[in-house]
Structures are given as C-alpha cells and as structure tokens.
Amino acid sequence: MLESVRNNIENSKLAERGETIVVGISGGNDSTALLHILWALNSHYQYGWKLHAVHLNHGFRGEEARRDADYAEELCRFLGVTFHLFERSIPDVMKQTGAGAQEASRAVRYELYKQIALRTGAAKVAVAHHADDQVETVLFRLLRGTRLSGLAGMPVRRWLVDGSVELIRPLLHLRRAELERYCRENGLSPREDSSNRSRKYARNLIRLDIMPLLEQVNERYSEHILSLAAAVREDEACLQKLSEDRLKAVVIKQKNGDVTIDADKFQSCDVALQRRMITLILSYLSSQIEWSSQHVEAVLRMIEGNRPSAELDLPGGITAARMYGRVRFQTDGQKRHSPIFCYQLAVPGTTVITESGAAVHTFYRDGPIDWERIPDHAAVFDADRLPGPLCVRNRKQGDRMPLWGAAGSKKLKELLIDAKVPQKWRDRLPLLTAGDEVVWVPGIRRSAIAPVSERTKRVLYVEVEFGEEWREVLM
C-alpha cells in the first residue's frame, strides 16, 4: 500500500520534498488512512513534509460528532501532526445560502482548507477520495445531467488557490476495501459517520442501493466506469485546450466577477467548444458550483435567441445578459457596484453600453419631424447647435440639466427621484452628454439644449434600446 501511494505521488509529482501539506480528516476510514499513509511515508522516506490536519464539526450529529473530533485530535497527537479543529453550524449555512447539506458542508470544508493552507504556507491540500468515490461521482453526475467533462470524474489534482495551493487526491487509484484493510493492519480504529447510511442523500442512495445492483449486472462495472473516466479525461484535456485558446479570442473584457464576450465570435465556434467555453466562464465566476449541462444549455439558448436582448439568472448570484452582439456574465458583487462608464457616441451608428444593458442608435435625418411618432426612448437635436462631442455616460455628483419647456435647470438627482427611478438603477442609467452638458435622460426628460427649429439644417436622431431588465424601471 505504501509503495503504491509513494509511486503515485512521485510519478505524478503530487508533493515535493519539504512541502507543507494540509490534510482533511473527518475521523472516518478513508481520511484516517490518508493521514496515516502520508505520516508513514514521511517517516520512512524522509520527505520533510510538514503535515497539518483540519477537522470540521458540522453541527449535525451532536455527541457523535464531538467523539469524531476527539478521535481525529487523538490520532494527530499520536502521530505528531498539527491539528486544527473548527466548529460550524452547517444548518445555519444552509438557511443563509439555500444550499443542501452536503453542498454546504463541502463549501465550508474547502474554505477552511484554503484558510489553513494560506496561513501555514502550504503548497498542497490532500483529500481522501478513492476509486469507489470516483465511480460514485461519475454515476451521480450522469444521473443528475452532465456532458462529457462530467464523465471525466474528479481530477487527481486541481488548483484550490490559483497559482499557490493545489488540491491533490493521492488515493484516487485505490479501492475502499484496500483502505479498510490498511486501517485494520495498522491498528487504526476509524469512526463511522452514521449519516453515511442515510438514504435521504442522493450520493448515499447511489452507493448503498444502485452500485450493488450494477454489480449484479456486471461485477466489473466499476472497472469499466473508471476506464471510461480515464479515456474521457484524455479527450477532455485536448478539447479543453482548444476551448481555452478560442475563449481568449472571444473575450472582450475580463475582471473579477465580470466577463464580457463577443457573441458573433463565440457563435462562430463549434458548439462542442461553445459549451466548454461557457463552463470555463461560469467556473471562473464561481468555482464552488458544479455547473451542470442544464446551466450550460440555458446559457446557450439565451445567446442563440432572436430577441435583441435577454438576461438569465444562474445559481450563485450570477447573471448572463445578451445585448447587441455582446454577452456579459456578472456576479452579484459586481452588479452591486456599478462601474463608471463613458462611451464616445458613434454618429451615425450603434454604441453598445455593456454596463447598462443598452444600445444607443444614432443617425441624421432630413425633412420635417413627425413629433407624434417619436418613441419615449428617442430624442432629436439640432446637430449643429450641440455644445460639444457626444458621449454616453452614467451620472456624476452635481449633474444638472436645463429642462425643455421650463425655466432654469434641475439637479439630476431630483429629476431621477421625481421619475421614481429606483436608487440601485440610477448609476446604470445612460445619459447623453454634449461637451460638459447633460442633454438627455432617456425615457425621462430632454434638456432645453439644441432644440430642432425651422432654422435646423441637420437633425440628429438618437434612440436608446434598453434590455428587458429596464422594462419595469422606465415604464
């Protein structure tokens, strides 16, 4: 057993000599075996690893959970491994986030792993997933709905903190029975979590009922699933590289919690790459969510729609919005903090205001104006009397506007309050400016600047097309 894990670690370069490694330990069979194996390898082969064990009491099982924590702490004391104990109320986390028990528990555990890794300078976080867990994961994803990438199963390594901390799975090639035998042979008495026998959790139902039935169909079914997962990982590595390369050419803007892509370039790619690019974007915005094929297909349908604009709400507070050739993905954090924007207006032409989910169309027109047919979100100006270059921006402190049909000017803030524009929308509302003057608040009020008269030689027509999200705001 030790040689098998040692060869796996060295051949895959999962851990280097002298590294600090954080080990997740529940006190159960698998994590107990993992910690003991790493400790034994470190002792026998002088790797110089500094081991830190992290245990989380989830707040579910009362005294049973406390005894699990005591066992994990006692084992670490015996092995001389630094022990970190945390207690969190996962039921409270579930209420706050709406996540299920296992999803919430996993999110909290992995956040604690990251905290300890960063605090101790650890390069690796080791978890005890094994081959049977891999089979269970592939079946779970298949039944829940997944594409080819989901059938690849869990990777032996992935970044937990980009560029600095890796999550590793040194036992992924071993079976559960092998780890149970290791614990018995080494005098270990791991704890058994009673919740692992509860069929209210889908994964438990797969492990306890479905997998034994599959074994009756073919006793080697798990080998075939593991072989499939290995082949899919090889195919996925190739397709993933192609997707990453294409995504670089498609992205217009990318920053924390905010990604904008060119819809036309995106749709020119093969649909197999499109799906992977969507998953890459969603995983960048939230790595804690396992994005399913339903999420990906919903985004694809939204992008392919024939309406000029559309918006889609996704888990984790993420939205995807399409507007005139662009698709913008945002997290809640980015939506709460409206960015400052200012675009020089294309005259004539169309200017897409990504931050507002709007597009501004302009053109020159001749002949008399049919005032009755000008829509609410359009305005006309004497092009030769505008006081400066035309831009579209969001509001600034102190903005005022001379009002059409009224004496004097009015503060923009008061104008928006009178129009009952919700506060959270005010910084996103696009304003038309000419030089330093605000000349139009679309859908609300036009200024007294550059009116069209009988002396006008060139009429500038400006119309703003708002996305669906603005319907209730500017009715």
Side-chain angles (χ1 to χ4, degrees):
M1 174 73 76
L2 290 180
E3 283 302 308
S4 174
V5 177
R6 180 194 179 199
N7 290 336
N8 186 40
I9 289 174
E10 293 192 352
N11 292 338
S12 301
K13 294 183 170 53
L14 295 183
E16 303 293 339
R17 291 184 179 276
E19 285 188 324
T20 298
I21 303 174
V22 171
V23 185
I25 180 167
S26 66
N29 180 83
D30 307 334
S31 62
T32 295
L34 172 64
L35 181 63
H36 194 276
I37 287 170
L38 292 178
W39 168 82
L41 288 175
N42 202 31
S43 301
H44 295 169
Y45 298 102
Q46 301 298 308
Y47 283 114
W49 295 331
K50 300 177 183 65
L51 301 178
H52 289 258
V54 174
H55 177 87
L56 171 64
N57 182 337
H58 300 78
F60 277 125
R61 294 176 293 114
E63 182 59 30
E64 180 185 344
R66 282 189 288 274
R67 289 198 296 270
D68 291 349
D70 291 342
Y71 172 78
E73 185 172 14
E74 182 181 346
L75 176 63
C76 288
R77 187 183 301 114
F78 175 76
L79 300 178
V81 172
T82 305
F83 181 69
H84 303 267
L85 172 63
F86 295 92
E87 295 185 3
R88 297 287 188 273
S89 174
I90 300 302
D92 288 345
V93 176
M94 293 166 62
K95 292 176 185 176
Q96 294 165 8
T97 64
Q102 293 188 331
E103 181 185 350
S105 298
R106 179 184 182 278
V108 172
R109 280 199 312 274
Y110 278 57
E111 184 58 36
L112 293 173
Y113 296 158
K114 286 195 288 187
Q115 288 179 18
I116 296 301
L118 293 173
R119 186 190 307 171
T120 61
K124 305 291 164 60
V125 170
V127 291
H129 293 129
H130 48 70
D132 294 275
D133 291 327
Q134 186 76 292
V135 173
E136 178 186 315
T137 296
V138 172
L139 288 172
F140 179 74
R141 291 177 179 175
L142 179 64
L143 295 172
R144 193 185 64 169
T146 187
R147 293 287 177 184
L148 194 63
S149 59
L151 299 181
M154 298 177 286
V156 71
R157 69 198 310 156
R158 69 171 177 84
W159 288 113
L160 190 61
V161 179
D162 284 348
S164 62
V165 182
E166 268 193 309
L167 182 80
I168 61 172
R169 297 182 170 98
L171 308 182
L172 206 52
H173 64 297
L174 299 174
R175 307 306 295 261
R176 178 182 290 112
E178 294 178 278
L179 299 177
E180 291 173 348
R181 184 169 62 250
Y182 178 88
C183 287
R184 289 195 302 270
E185 291 174 351
N186 286 275
L188 302 172
S189 303
R191 302 276 302 167
E192 182 182 359
D193 185 339
S194 61
S195 66
N196 288 336
R197 299 189 298 273
S198 172
R199 284 170 169 79
K200 72 177 182 179
Y201 301 121
R203 284 183 176 272
N204 290 358
L205 196 62
I206 290 171
R207 184 176 67 254
L208 298 173
D209 294 336
I210 295 176
M211 291 171 70
L213 286 174
L214 291 175
E215 192 168 13
Q216 292 180 31
V217 176
N218 186 338
E219 61 182 14
R220 297 183 60 193
Y221 85 94
S222 59
E223 295 177 39
H224 298 319
I225 289 177
L226 292 171
S227 178
L228 170 66
V232 169
R233 281 195 294 276
E234 293 174 353
D235 292 349
E236 271 297 297
C238 176
L239 289 168
Q240 191 76 354
K241 180 64 169 60
L242 288 173
S243 302
E244 291 170 357
D245 291 343
R246 290 300 298 148
L247 185 58
K248 291 176 184 176
V250 165
V251 169
I252 296 171
K253 179 181 70 174
Q254 177 177 343
K255 60 181 183 180
N256 291 338
D258 195 344
V259 178
T260 301
I261 63 173
D262 184 305
D264 291 335
K265 290 182 179 178
F266 175 84
Q267 290 183 291
S268 71
C269 300
D270 187 275
V271 69
L273 299 183
Q274 290 181 23
R275 290 190 175 100
R276 286 167 176 78
M277 285 191 279
I278 291 172
T279 303
L280 283 170
I281 293 169
L282 297 180
S283 297
Y284 164 75
L285 295 174
S286 179
S287 60
Q288 297 301 319
I289 297 174
E290 287 192 30
W291 297 102
S292 71
S293 60
Q294 287 90 340
H295 299 134
V296 173
E297 293 303 314
V299 175
L300 269 181
R301 288 194 297 271
M302 186 271 296
I303 294 175
E304 294 168 353
N306 53 20
R307 300 177 65 179
S309 61
E311 183 167 327
L312 176 68
D313 290 322
L314 294 162
I318 293 172
T319 59
R322 173 175 51 77
M323 185 68 188
Y324 282 95
R326 295 187 178 192
V327 182
R328 188 179 191 188
F329 299 82
Q330 284 182 286
T331 62
D332 268 339
Q334 287 298 314
K335 289 185 290 181
R336 281 195 295 271
H337 304 289
S338 298
I340 296 172
F341 62 87
C342 183
Y343 292 84
Q344 185 174 348
L345 201 62
V347 183
T350 295
T351 305
V352 176
I353 315 300
T354 306
E355 291 83 355
S356 294
V360 184
H361 310 287
T362 65
F363 58 89
Y364 294 111
R365 62 188 302 171
D366 299 320
I369 304 297
D370 186 349
W371 298 101
E372 296 295 327
R373 299 188 64 181
I374 296 179
D376 292 339
H377 298 151
V380 293
F381 300 88
D382 186 325
D384 298 315
R385 296 177 64 188
L386 289 165
L390 293 174
C391 293
V392 179
R393 64 167 172 83
N394 55 350
R395 64 176 181 164
K396 296 179 181 178
Q397 187 173 2
D399 274 338
R400 302 182 69 91
M401 188 172 76
L403 301 183
W404 176 268
S409 63
K410 191 167 187 176
K411 288 182 179 180
L412 182 63
K413 179 179 179 180
E414 296 175 359
L415 194 66
L416 298 178
I417 292 173
D418 292 345
K420 296 183 172 56
V421 177
Q423 185 171 3
K424 69 177 183 178
W425 293 88
R426 294 173 196 167
D427 288 332
R428 296 182 60 195
L429 185 65
L431 312 175
L432 179 64
T433 64
D436 295 328
E437 299 286 346
V438 177
V439 297
W440 183 37
V441 183
I444 297 176
R445 199 70 181 265
R446 185 212 194 280
S447 79
I449 295 172
V452 174
S453 68
E454 64 276 5
R455 297 189 299 274
T456 299
K457 296 180 180 178
R458 289 193 308 156
V459 174
L460 177 66
Y461 181 93
V462 186
E463 182 173 354
V464 177
E465 184 164 358
F466 288 98
E468 289 293 318
E469 58 183 341
W470 287 93
R471 177 173 292 179
E472 300 297 325
V473 180
L474 298 175
M475 286 185 62

